[in-house]
């Protein structure tokens, strides 16, 4: 499939006289195929299971008739296929259309975007919020925007891949502290005092192990060393804390966390990030 895709792209992008065999394409395809073979040989190849039903605790997949118990979705509250959510989506399509064919700052911002951003800000008790296509995109866009070479970012070593990628894009001085190790974090804070701003970055809940970040103690250190705290709440928003506002609400530090990033695509049943 990958080979065919490359060939299809080359076919439609090149003049009719262009000779693919004389280009670098065969060499690239050979490299890609070798890499894929190596992944298979290492037992790391991932096969997609194609779902043929709505998301839920019981699903059907291609080439199998029996229902399958689904333990791997992030549909924590069962909202992905909830009738009220589905109907609200249909009404929004009728009212606002299927797309805008524009970026937001040209003619791609509708009233529903601003209303949702205000509701999200109110829910998390923040001054404002901005929508991205996904939380992965939000993490990619945040750190480069607010941090420069005059700043420092201190990241838990087990933070989500999107946080790691986002931090790589920024020019800030980078420190990685041991997983939920407050002593190591404090040492990193002491070593980064020369920088203008210091941003501590952590998942609220670490998705692979279910660890809950020690936010009270992290906030204590942030205040001691005049740093800021960022939390990724993708696996906490909607169900953690007395009213589902997340880890910062659960641990009573909502007024001590500077930046919250989360998603509408897990517990809240949508498909986008905030």
């Amino acid at each position: 499939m990958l080979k065919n895709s490359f060939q299809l792209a080359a076919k439609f992008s090149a003049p009719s006289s262009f000779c693919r065999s004389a280009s670098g394409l065969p060499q690239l395809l050979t490299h890609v195929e070798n890499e894929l073979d190596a992944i298979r040989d290492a037992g790391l190849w991932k096969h997609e299971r194609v779902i043929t039903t709505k998301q839920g605790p019981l699903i059907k997949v291609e080439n199998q008739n029996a229902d399958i118990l689904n333990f791997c979705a992030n549909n924590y509250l069962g909202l992905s296929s909830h009738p009220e959510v589905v109907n609200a989506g249909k009404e929004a399509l009728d009212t606002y259309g299927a797309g805008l064919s524009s970026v937001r700052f040209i003619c791609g911002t509708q009233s529903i975007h601003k209303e949702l951003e205000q509701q999200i800000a109110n829910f998390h008790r923040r001054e404002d919020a901005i929508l991205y296509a996904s939380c992965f995109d939000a993490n990619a866009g945040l750190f480069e925007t607010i941090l420069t070479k005059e700043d420092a970012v201190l990241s838990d070593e087990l933070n989500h891949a999107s946080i790691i990628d986002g931090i790589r894009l920024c020019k800030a001085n980078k420190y990685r502290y041991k997983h939920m190790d407050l002593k190591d974090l404090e040492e990193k804070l002491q070593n980064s005092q020369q920088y203008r701003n210091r941003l501590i970055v952590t998942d609220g809940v670490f998705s692979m192990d279910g660890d809950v970040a020690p936010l009270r103690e992290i906030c204590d250190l942030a205040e001691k060393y005049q740093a800021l705290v960022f939390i990724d709440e993708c696996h906490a928003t909607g169900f953690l804390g007395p009213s589902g506002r997340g880890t910062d609400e659960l641990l009573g530090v909502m007024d001590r966390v500077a930046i919250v990033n989360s998603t509408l695509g897990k517990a809240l049943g949508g498909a986008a990030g905030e």
Side-chain angles (χ1 to χ4, degrees):
M1 178 63 73
L2 182 60
K3 180 176 181 180
N4 290 338
S5 297
F6 276 120
Q7 291 174 338
L8 187 63
K11 179 179 179 181
F12 282 99
S13 63
S16 57
S17 59
F18 183 77
C19 181
R20 284 181 291 164
S21 62
S23 73
L25 182 59
Q27 181 179 347
L28 173 62
L29 291 176
T30 298
H31 168 71
V32 171
E33 289 168 352
N34 290 338
E35 288 291 314
L36 294 177
D37 288 340
I39 291 172
R40 293 187 188 96
D41 292 341
L44 299 175
W45 182 262
K46 292 186 178 181
H47 295 275
E48 289 183 332
R49 291 205 170 188
V50 180
I51 300 174
T52 60
T53 59
K54 297 177 181 178
Q55 185 64 275
L58 285 175
I59 58 174
K60 289 185 182 295
V61 298
E62 277 188 350
N63 304 318
Q64 187 163 333
N65 294 325
D67 287 339
I68 292 178
L69 279 171
N70 182 7
F71 289 101
C72 57
N74 298 311
N75 187 24
Y76 301 123
L77 300 179
L79 294 179
S80 294
S81 303
H82 193 283
E84 290 186 32
V85 176
V86 173
N87 288 334
K90 292 176 180 178
E91 292 175 7
L93 285 170
D94 289 337
T95 303
Y96 296 98
L100 288 160
S101 304
S102 173
V103 296
R104 284 195 57 171
F105 65 85
I106 296 179
C107 60
T109 296
Q110 292 176 313
S111 58
I112 194 171
H113 293 122
K114 303 303 293 183
E115 291 167 7
L116 179 57
E117 286 174 338
Q118 188 60 57
Q119 289 178 7
I120 290 170
N122 293 342
F123 180 72
H124 285 290
R125 296 176 184 168
R126 306 284 149 178
E127 293 84 356
D128 205 350
I130 184 169
L131 292 168
Y132 282 79
S134 70
C135 189
F136 208 111
D137 287 335
N139 279 332
L142 172 70
F143 304 106
E144 186 179 19
T145 304
I146 66 173
L147 300 175
T148 73
K149 61 183 180 180
E150 298 179 35
D151 305 309
V153 57
L154 304 93
S155 178
D156 188 292
E157 65 180 354
L158 294 188
N159 277 337
H160 189 269
S162 62
I163 295 175
I164 295 170
D165 286 350
I167 289 174
R168 284 174 177 161
L169 292 173
C170 77
K171 296 180 180 179
N173 299 273
K174 302 168 181 68
Y175 295 80
R176 184 174 66 177
Y177 64 90
K178 297 175 184 177
H179 181 48
M180 300 200 308
D181 188 324
L182 296 169
K183 181 179 179 181
D184 192 42
L185 173 58
E186 184 166 17
E187 290 178 0
K188 299 295 192 297
L189 284 166
Q190 292 170 345
N191 294 336
S192 60
Q193 283 300 291
Q194 69 270 32
Y195 297 111
R196 179 183 58 184
N197 295 307
R198 292 159 303 285
L199 181 65
I200 302 170
V201 177
T202 181
D203 280 316
V205 175
F206 292 83
S207 61
M208 298 305 293
D209 299 311
D211 297 335
V212 177
L215 288 184
R216 292 193 193 101
E217 294 80 3
I218 288 175
C219 289
D220 289 343
L221 288 174
E223 291 164 7
K224 180 178 179 180
Y225 293 97
Q226 295 184 308
L228 302 166
V229 177
F230 162 98
I231 57 174
D232 185 306
E233 289 286 79
C234 286
H235 293 273
T237 295
F239 60 92
L240 210 61
S243 58
R245 284 177 165 82
T247 315
D248 54 347
E249 182 188 40
L250 176 71
L251 299 177
V253 293
M254 292 191 75
D255 59 341
R256 302 173 70 191
V257 172
I259 305 170
V260 175
N261 195 14
S262 192
T263 183
L264 304 173
K266 292 182 171 62
L268 302 184
E274 64 189 67

